[in-house]
């Protein structure tokens, strides 16, 4: 069976402390709870969580949705986005199965990045490594006014902006991820082709603004 | 302490020959320690003993299951020969303490592999593996006891999930009945404490994905409405030389059904003057009118082949005979050229017909994108001729079970990423050279089946393009069709079996995780 890999890259730097980090945790819980009700996602989606603060860590390796347990996350330290992108590139290489005549590969991974600040490390290096991998849709979310949308725009074709990193907006973003993953499932089944453009994402909810 | 535990305890106390006066002085906690020690130090013997007990118990509650019931006096069979042990290890460890009274609750050994795992401590959170509705759950809670030195673990509220905690084995077992997120409470004693402590644990029970697929009928009001499933049987009487029959079925995929979207696949079968015509087509899910594209393609291929065969049948049959007799490149080329004028031209005209429809509708040709697999066949004195044309994914092959013969009639069009297929409606496909290259001619002495399938069938049954060329996979498919499957679906490929079409339609409803596309299959047998 072809799996649909979904990577969540979450900023757990010090600035996320408090309401934001709690909202991210709840958001993940809601995301998983709602995907569990979608038969296509339940059968095919695999989730991984990579957090980044002073360095990046894959706290949940690519895991079948049915077995996924929401991790506990805490906020502290800097914003090593570049490290997170490098780690993501490595994980895509090792965790995502490529198609060959002998092996039916996975779908291209969907990637969701959420950050509330500017990267504190060499993000271009990480991005370069990521660009050597085949990925599906990358959605970056700039949470709150300190996030650097111009950096995110270089990483992803779809950058969304939350005016504030409060629980309501973050929850809305996770709901959007959920419908994106469900929609991706439908599209894969429908077209048999891999995702290419942001036009295939569901329209963002009102709390989320698309950066053009 | 419940009854079953007490029974176990008294068995063990017997075995250890604990003196009655000592027995009376023991606290529950002491008893538990004794039982634990006993269980861990005498595991093998206990398993044998328990197997005996278990067997006696079975004889008692379910005598009908034993073939020895008519001679109740014979000795129970030795543990080795016990019949009920597909999982002999699991039986003694989980079952014996559950002494239920009513026969229906006898743990008929689970057909499904249980979800196994252990209660874990992570980031100071207690974590239970997620369960699944109707799938046995078997989770060990012993590691946590050793790790944390706590004792007397038990749980509240597990019953509401359909699970229970089995103290002697320290396992949570059972079969969850409902999906959701449940909160259960673990109770335990910390070292040297008399009072119980409690911790809440979230236990997630996933639904069975099958229960989440809810088909919605396609609204009849949509443009180009098409029935959600279709089937056809074409009996060919033995009047002529040929007497193989054809059956086909097509079924809307669960992913379409879930959203009330129509079936995009289609097929067509026709028999006339000794010639069999078979077509299956898979309309591209991304193209809004592909259901019409596949329908026109199938219909037009049959129409055009009939027309052309009427004109050039004799010439074609002579050319095919020459291919058999001469086996020369020139003969092949001559027959190939005629096939081109029949099947190649039919494909070309099918595209023209689709184009016309698109213009009427004010839509683009690509809105009608469809794959196409077509074959025309005839029985000759020297064997069967099969001519074919193939664009896109899916699969088409001549299969002979007895002789281990397989001829896949072309190459599935998968790009670097399988799933990026090609369609009949792409402009490059109807270039003469491209059309010609997709034609195949073949003569075989006989065969079990000529099978045409859309990718809704090949993806789950063959998985990869490489497998499509493996005879074992075709054997497995044929066995599967003949009833070797979990659903009890069976197609009887006997002569003149009109039921084969509905049987095929039912078979198409097979379950395959993650594979819920429209499915169409056509078989000449």
């Amino acid at each position: 069976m072809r799996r649909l890999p979904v990577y969540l890259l979450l900023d757990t730097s010090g600035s996320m402390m408090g309401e934001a980090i709690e909202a991210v945790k709840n958001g993940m819980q809601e995301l998983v709870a709602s995907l569990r009700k979608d038969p296509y996602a339940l059968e095919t989606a695999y989730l991984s969580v990579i957090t980044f603060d002073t360095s990046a860590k894959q706290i949940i390796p690519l895991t079948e949705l049915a077995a996924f347990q929401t991790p506990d996350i805490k906020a502290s330290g800097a914003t090593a986005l570049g490290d997170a992108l490098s780690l993501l590139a490595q994980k895509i290489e090792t965790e995502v199965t490529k198609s060959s005549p002998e092996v039916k590969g996975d779908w291209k991974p969907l990637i969701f990045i959420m950050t509330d600040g500017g990267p504190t490390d060499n993000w271009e290096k990480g991005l370069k490594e990521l660009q050597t991998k085949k990925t599906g849709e990358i959605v970056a979310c700039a949470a709150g006014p300190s996030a650097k949308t111009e950096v995110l725009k270089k990483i992803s074709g779809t950058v969304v902006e939350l005016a504030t990193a409060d629980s309501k907006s973050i929850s809305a973003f996770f709901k959007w991820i959920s419908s994106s993953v469900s929609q991706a499932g439908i599209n894969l089944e429908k077209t048999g082709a891999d995702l290419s453009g942001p036009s295939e994402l569901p329209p963002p909810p009102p709390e989320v603004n698309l950066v053009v | 302490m419940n009854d079953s535990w007490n029974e176990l305890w008294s068995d063990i106390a017997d075995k250890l020959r604990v003196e009655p006066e000592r027995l009376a002085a023991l606290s529950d906690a002491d008893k538990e320690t004794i039982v634990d020690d006993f269980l861990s130090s005498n595991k093998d013997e206990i398993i044998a003993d328990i197997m005996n007990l278990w067997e006696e118990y079975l004889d008692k509650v379910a005598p009908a299951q034993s073939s020895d019931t008519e001679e109740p006096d014979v000795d129970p069979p030795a543990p080795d020969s016990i019949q009920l042990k597909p999982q002999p290890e699991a039986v003694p460890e989980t079952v014996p303490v559950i002494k239920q009274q009513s026969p229906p609750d006898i743990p008929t050994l689970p057909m499904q592999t249980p979800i196994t795992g252990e209660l874990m401590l992570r980031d100071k959170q207690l974590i239970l593996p997620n369960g699944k509705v109707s799938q046995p759950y078997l989770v060990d809670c012993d590691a946590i006891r050793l790790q944390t030195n706590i004792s007397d673990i038990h749980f509240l509220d597990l019953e509401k999930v359909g699970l229970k905690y089995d103290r002697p084995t320290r396992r949570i077992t059972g079969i969850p009945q409902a999906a959701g997120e449940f909160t259960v409470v673990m109770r335990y004693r910390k070292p040297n404490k008399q009072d119980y402590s409690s911790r809440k644990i979230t236990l997630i029970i996933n639904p069975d994905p099958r229960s989440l697929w809810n088909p919605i009928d396609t609204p009849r009001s949509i443009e180009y409405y098409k029935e959600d499933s279709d089937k056809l049987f074409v009996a060919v009487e033995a009047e002529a030389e040929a007497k193989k029959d054809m059956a086909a079925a097509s079924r809307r995929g669960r992913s379409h059904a879930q959203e009330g979207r129509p079936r995009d696949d289609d097929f067509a079968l026709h028999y006339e003057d000794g010639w069999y015509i078979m077509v299956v087509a898979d309309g591209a899910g991304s193209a809004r009118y592909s259901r019409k594209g596949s329908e026109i393609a199938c219909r037009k291929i049959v129409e055009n082949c009939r027309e052309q065969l009427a004109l050039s049948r004799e010439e074609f049959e002579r050319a095919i005979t020459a291919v058999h007799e001469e086996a020369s490149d020139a003969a092949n080329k001559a027959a190939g050229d005629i096939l081109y004028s029949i099947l190649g031209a039919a494909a070309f005209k099918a595209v023209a017909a689709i184009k016309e429809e698109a213009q009427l509708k004010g839509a683009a040709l690509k809105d009608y994108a469809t794959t196409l697999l077509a074959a025309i066949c005839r029985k000759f004195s020297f064997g069967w001729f099969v001519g074919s044309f193939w664009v896109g994914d899916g699969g088409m092959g001549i299969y002979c079970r007895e002789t281990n013969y397989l001829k896949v009639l072309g190459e599935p069009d998968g790009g670097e990423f399988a799933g990026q297929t090609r369609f009949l409606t792409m402009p490059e496909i109807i270039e003469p050279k491209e059309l010609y290259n997709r034609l195949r001619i073949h003569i075989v002495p006989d065969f079990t089946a000529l099978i045409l399938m859309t990718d809704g069938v090949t993806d789950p049954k063959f998985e990869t393009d490489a497998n499509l060329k493996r005879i074992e996979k075709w054997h497995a498919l044929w066995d599967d069709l003949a009833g070797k499957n979990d659903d009890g679906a069976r197609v009887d490929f006997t002569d003149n079996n009109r039921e084969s079409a509905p049987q095929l339609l039912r078979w198409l409803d097979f379950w395959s995780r993650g594979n819920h596309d429209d499915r169409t299959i056509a078989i000449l047998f």
Side-chain angles (χ1 to χ4, degrees), chain B residues 469-481:
Chain B
K469 291 178 182 149
R470 298 205 168 103
I471 184 85
E472 314 87 68
K473 285 285 174 182
W474 288 76
H475 284 323
L477 174 69
W478 196 249
D479 288 342
D480 187 338
L481 282 160

Side-chain angles (χ1 to χ4, degrees), chain A residues 76-206:
Chain A
S76 72
T79 310
L81 177 60
D83 197 22
L85 297 177
S86 304
L87 184 59
L88 172 64
Q90 277 171 37
K91 294 301 171 187
I92 289 176
E93 183 63 32
T94 56
E95 292 180 331
V96 178
T97 311
K98 292 189 197 77
S99 274
S100 75
E102 296 290 331
V103 181
K104 189 140 243 178
D106 294 326
W107 300 105
K108 289 183 197 166
L110 293 179
I111 296 154
F112 297 91
I113 303 169
M114 176 161 175
T115 178
D116 76 334
T120 53
D121 65 348
N122 184 353
W123 60 272
E124 284 101 338
K125 177 176 164 283
L127 179 58
K128 236 175 229 150
E129 288 171 38
L130 180 62
Q131 280 163 346
T132 64
K133 309 297 167 211
K134 290 221 161 64
T135 62
E137 187 75 38
I138 301 178
V139 174
C141 172
S146 324
K148 296 268 181 296
T149 47
E150 61 275 22
V151 171
L152 295 178
K153 273 197 260 183
K154 297 218 166 75
I155 298 172
S156 145
T158 312
V159 178
V160 298
E161 208 167 17
L162 306 178
T164 52
D166 60 6
S167 58
K168 191 175 162 223
S169 330
I170 290 177
S171 159
F173 178 64
F174 274 93
K175 278 196 192 110
W176 191 44
I177 296 182
S178 162
S179 40
S180 305
V181 173
S182 288
Q183 188 64 38
I186 292 163
N187 283 336
L188 297 177
E189 192 77 350
K190 225 163 80 173
T191 61
D194 297 277
L195 295 177
S196 49
S199 57
E200 284 165 343
L201 288 171

Side-chain angles (χ1 to χ4, degrees), chain B residues 340 388-390 409-411 429 431-440:
Chain B
Y340 177 79
S388 66
F389 177 76
W390 179 348
L409 297 168
E411 300 279 338
I429 300 296
E431 293 295 320
K433 193 166 171 255
E434 184 74 25
L435 270 182
Y436 205 101
N437 282 335
R438 290 172 178 276
L439 294 168
R440 295 286 183 280

Side-chain angles (χ1 to χ4, degrees), chain B residues 108-122:
Chain B
T108 43
L109 294 179
M111 298 301 288
Q112 267 187 305
T113 359
I115 290 177
T116 55
E118 51 183 47
L119 177 64
M120 281 186 309
L121 195 59
R122 196 175 65 204

Side-chain angles (χ1 to χ4, degrees), chain B residues 49 90 99 146 193 196 246 253 268 280 298 300 312 420 496:
Chain B
D49 276 354
K99 297 214 168 180
L146 301 171
K193 290 250 171 90
Y196 277 105
M246 290 184 285
V280 304
C298 289
K300 283 289 165 186
S312 56
Q420 292 173 333
N496 282 329

Side-chain angles (χ1 to χ4, degrees), chain A residues 1-2 29 32-33 35-40 42-46 59-60 64-74 98-108 134 183 185-186 189-194, chain B residues 122-123 125 127-131 181 202 204-210 212-213 255-256 258-259 261 283-286 416-421 423 459 463-467 470 511-518:
Chain A
M1 189 201 58
R2 313 188 73 183
Q29 243 154 25
V32 173
L35 287 182
R36 278 203 185 96
K37 293 176 188 138
D38 171 350
Y40 201 82
L42 185 57
E43 290 184 23
T44 57
Y46 280 64
I59 57 170
I60 306 273
E64 183 184 5
L65 179 63
F68 188 87
Q69 302 253 4
T70 313
D72 192 27
I73 48 174
K74 291 192 175 58
K98 292 189 197 77
S99 274
S100 75
E102 296 290 331
V103 181
K104 189 140 243 178
D106 294 326
W107 300 105
K108 289 183 197 166
K134 290 221 161 64
Q183 188 64 38
I186 292 163
E189 192 77 350
K190 225 163 80 173
T191 61
D194 297 277
Chain B
R122 196 175 65 204
D123 302 330
Q125 266 184 306
I127 296 180
L128 280 169
N130 299 344
E181 282 192 33
T202 301
I204 293 165
I205 304 296
N206 287 301
D208 182 342
R210 295 181 198 220
L212 297 177
W213 295 105
S255 57
H256 285 187
Q258 183 81 357
E259 304 197 319
R261 286 190 286 124
S286 55
E416 182 194 356
F417 288 91
Q420 292 173 333
T421 191
F423 299 107
D459 277 357
E463 290 163 355
T464 64
D465 292 350
N467 280 342
R470 298 205 168 103
W511 182 264
S512 171
R513 178 176 169 180
N515 291 306
H516 305 293
D517 202 356
D518 293 350

Side-chain angles (χ1 to χ4, degrees), chain B residues 39-340:
Chain B
L39 288 176
S40 50
S41 58
N42 297 288
K43 216 172 174 181
D44 294 343
E45 286 167 45
I46 300 213
I47 288 174
D49 276 354
I50 288 177
M51 282 306 272
N52 278 327
L53 280 175
W54 171 235
E55 203 190 322
E56 282 172 28
Y57 166 68
L58 266 191
D59 282 348
K60 222 165 28 192
V61 294
Q65 288 191 355
S66 160
S67 57
D68 298 333
T69 44
E70 294 189 16
E71 299 169 42
D73 289 331
V74 294
D75 290 341
D80 288 40
S81 65
I82 292 170
Q83 288 144 4
L84 75 23
K85 49 176 200 176
Q87 294 174 305
E89 298 296 316
V91 172
E93 288 183 29
T94 60
V95 159
V97 288
I98 314 165
K99 297 214 168 180
Q100 286 131 333
Q101 294 307 309
S102 53
D105 284 330
I106 294 171
T108 43
L109 294 179
M111 298 301 288
Q112 267 187 305
T113 359
I115 290 177
T116 55
E118 51 183 47
L119 177 64
M120 281 186 309
L121 195 59
R122 196 175 65 204
D123 302 330
K124 296 184 184 166
Q125 266 184 306
L126 283 167
I127 296 180
L128 280 169
N130 299 344
K132 186 180 147 195
V133 170
S134 300
Q135 186 169 359
Y137 188 80
L138 188 67
V139 167
D140 196 281
C141 304
D142 208 28
I144 200 100
R145 184 182 63 100
L146 301 171
Q147 194 184 338
T148 56
N149 255 325
I150 57 173
S151 62
D152 210 11
I153 296 175
H154 60 285
F155 293 83
L156 306 179
D157 300 336
L158 270 180
E159 292 72 20
K160 71 183 175 196
V161 191
L163 299 173
K164 58 178 161 296
Y165 181 64
D166 181 47
R167 285 199 182 197
T169 57
R170 299 204 181 83
R171 282 175 166 180
I172 298 175
T173 64
I175 301 177
Q177 300 303 321
E181 282 192 33
F182 300 91
T183 303
V184 298
V185 175
M186 182 172 106
R187 309 245 302 149
Y188 58 94
R189 265 198 277 255
K190 290 181 184 159
N192 309 320
K193 290 250 171 90
Q194 273 307 305
D195 294 341
Y196 277 105
S197 304
S198 299
R199 287 283 281 273
K200 280 187 183 172
I201 308 177
T202 301
L203 172 58
I204 293 165
I205 304 296
N206 287 301
D208 182 342
R210 295 181 198 220
S211 68
L212 297 177
W213 295 105
N214 295 312
I216 300 170
D217 288 345
T218 305
R220 288 183 179 263
S221 55
I222 64 161
E223 296 171 284
Y224 299 136
Y225 174 81
K226 181 188 277 191
E227 294 288 336
D228 291 337
S229 70
D230 194 6
K231 59 185 189 302
L232 182 65
F233 176 75
V234 177
V236 176
E237 301 301 331
E239 28 90 17
E241 295 159 83
K243 60 173 181 136
K244 285 188 194 290
D245 299 326
M246 290 184 285
S250 181
R251 180 179 273 283
R252 187 171 59 142
R254 289 185 184 87
S255 57
H256 285 187
Q258 183 81 357
E259 304 197 319
R261 286 190 286 124
R263 172 170 59 102
D264 292 332
D265 275 13
D266 221 311
F267 71 85
L269 301 177
H270 184 76
Y271 175 82
E272 189 172 328
D273 294 335
W275 281 92
Y276 295 82
I277 305 169
M278 308 171 76
V279 199
V280 304
D282 173 4
S286 55
R288 58 182 168 150
Y289 296 139
S290 67
R291 58 187 172 281
K292 189 65 179 175
S294 61
E295 189 256 317
I296 297 175
C298 289
R299 184 162 43 85
K300 283 289 165 186
I301 291 288
V302 169
E303 267 178 40
N304 297 324
C305 282
R306 285 178 65 190
E307 269 172 34
Q308 198 56 38
L309 273 171
L311 296 174
S312 56
R313 190 158 63 94
E314 282 166 24
E315 183 197 359
F316 193 28
E317 287 169 8
R318 275 197 302 278
I320 292 164
T321 309
V323 169
H324 170 69
E325 285 167 358
E326 294 168 27
S328 67
D329 287 350
N332 287 350
K333 171 71 178 154
D337 285 357
I338 303 174
L339 182 66
Y340 177 79

